[in-house]
Amino acid sequence: MSGNKKKGGDGETVALVLLKGTQKYYLKEVDLDLDIADIKERLNSEAGLNVPVKYIKVLIKGKIRDNSETLKAIGIKPGSKVKGKLFFEEGYHQEVSGSITLEKMEAKLLELEKKVKDLFVKVNHRVITPEDAAFEVVHLDDSVQKIKGELDESRVKDAEKETRENMLERLKNIKVKMEAIREANRVYT
């Protein structure tokens, strides 16, 4: 065996450096007989990628590689340092961004519910002028429309669809309360 070849386990090995944006993922002593599916598993267990394997795409030597391809079959030589890129399938980003959107929307929704409740109390106790109340209702209505639009456009996992639907239902309830505020404000004037 020459000096630049490494032996690991039963086969010859290489070092892998896979890039995702500016992030680098390193795997040392990767057996040339290892297939891409196993490399994806190692990326999660050893390199800290933490992405479901089904969403990971590996580009080596200018081509997205099939899960069944081995490094040896791709033409990688023992002892070399292999550079490649990682891509994630569309569904992964949708799941992640959908979850983040719901978390942000929950915070906005809680804040909106509190503002509507506070305004309702102010109008009923006549501690706000009708003009100021009307202005706040318009502002709150804009917030409702914005949140509804974001929820309508969000793509979420099946498991989170019920959460999104519950949020949309809460927005409907907020609109009912805002109509009650408008009515109380009309009576007040």
Side-chain angles (χ1 to χ4, degrees), residues 26-105:
Y26 299 94
L27 291 177
K28 297 178 182 178
E29 296 188 10
V30 178
D31 195 294
L32 289 175
D33 292 322
L34 206 59
D35 64 25
I36 296 298
D38 290 332
I39 290 170
K40 291 176 182 181
E41 290 289 344
R42 281 190 61 188
L43 284 167
N44 280 323
S45 66
E46 297 174 30
L49 184 60
N50 298 320
V51 173
V53 170
K54 68 181 182 178
Y55 293 120
I56 303 170
K57 295 291 181 189
V58 178
L59 180 123
I60 296 176
K61 290 185 129 184
K63 182 179 172 191
I64 299 286
R65 298 299 172 171
D66 292 328
N67 282 341
S68 61
E69 288 183 273
T70 65
L71 294 175
K72 187 180 283 184
I74 294 170
I76 305 299
K77 303 292 182 212
S80 58
K81 183 176 182 181
V82 179
K83 291 183 180 180
K85 291 189 177 187
L86 295 174
F87 297 94
F88 302 147
E89 284 192 16
E90 182 178 335
Y92 174 70
H93 294 293
Q94 290 172 352
E95 279 189 26
V96 171
S97 66
S99 298
I100 292 168
T101 297
L102 289 182
E103 289 174 16
K104 289 179 182 176
M105 291 301 103

Side-chain angles (χ1 to χ4, degrees), residues 115-121 123-124 133-134 137 140 174-187:
K115 286 180 180 180
V116 169
K117 180 181 175 185
D118 291 348
L119 182 58
F120 187 79
V121 169
V123 167
N124 283 321
V137 166
L140 291 171
I174 288 172
K175 289 177 97 174
V176 168
K177 288 177 185 172
M178 288 173 49
E179 194 54 45
I181 291 170
R182 283 186 184 95
E183 187 58 35
N185 202 34
R186 280 192 276 281
V187 170

